[in-house]
Amino acid sequence: MTGAARLIGVAAGVILLVIGTAGSALAHCDTLDGPVVSAARKALDSGNVNLVLVWVQKNDEAEEVFTGVAALLPHSDVPNVALGNLYFAQGRHAQAIEHYRKSLEILDAVGNELGVAVVYGNLGIVHAQQGAFDRAIEAFEKTLALDIKLSEQN
């Protein structure tokens, strides 16, 4: 999973959420010609995710955005990884693990071994934080095996 894939997922999610709520009473910043969508377009063009993230300032808002993106793009690993990261940062480990596992299913289905390796690393960190060291070691070993395999292919 590349940074560009994450950026596209976040930017697309912001755009889709804005478009999907266009029937609501929205301020100019929430319309298609407003600064949120403009920032999302610039983020896609430049590869700079920070141009979009300035519009998502609170964890509650981030959770809402990524949950919405997950609903709109059920076959994308990006929102599930983002939710896993958010929940881990909040200490909500069970929810982090749930979303990392969802992203693993998606990444496995499309054969994205690099993404799988990254997510297993994330799982290892969560398990270690919980004191589940056997699970952490298992996840880190999967990450290492995939990293070795991928480095040998290149």
Side-chain angles (χ1 to χ4, degrees):
M1 175 174 39
T2 65
R6 288 182 183 170
L7 170 66
I8 290 168
V10 171
V14 170
I15 291 170
L16 290 171
L17 285 173
V18 169
I19 292 169
T21 59
S24 308
L26 300 176
H28 170 71
C29 64
D30 296 324
T31 63
L32 290 176
D33 63 341
V36 174
V37 174
S38 295
R41 288 184 179 131
K42 288 178 186 175
L44 285 170
D45 292 340
S46 70
N48 182 359
V49 71
N50 293 321
L51 296 173
V52 175
L53 294 181
V54 298
W55 295 101
V56 181
Q57 297 180 8
K58 296 179 184 174
N59 285 340
D60 292 345
E61 291 173 355
E63 182 176 6
E64 184 178 325
V65 167
F66 291 129
T67 299
V69 173
L72 291 170
L73 304 172
H75 302 293
S76 174
D77 65 292
V78 175
N80 285 299
V81 171
L83 283 165
N85 292 344
L86 176 67
Y87 293 143
F88 174 73
Q90 294 174 341
R92 296 162 63 183
H93 296 150
Q95 289 171 294
I97 290 168
E98 174 187 342
H99 285 281
Y100 288 146
R101 292 201 186 282
K102 285 180 186 177
S103 65
L104 282 173
E105 290 174 17
I106 294 165
L107 291 163
D108 275 335
V110 298
N112 184 338
E113 291 181 316
L114 178 59
V116 169
V118 169
V119 174
Y120 271 123
N122 291 355
L123 275 171
I125 293 167
V126 176
H127 288 310
Q129 186 75 26
Q130 290 180 311
F133 298 114
D134 289 342
R135 288 185 187 153
I137 290 168
E138 181 181 328
F140 289 138
E141 285 175 342
K142 289 179 181 180
T143 295
L144 181 60
L146 285 167
D147 284 345
I148 291 169
K149 177 183 175 184
L150 292 170
S151 67
E152 289 173 352
Q153 291 175 356
N154 293 329

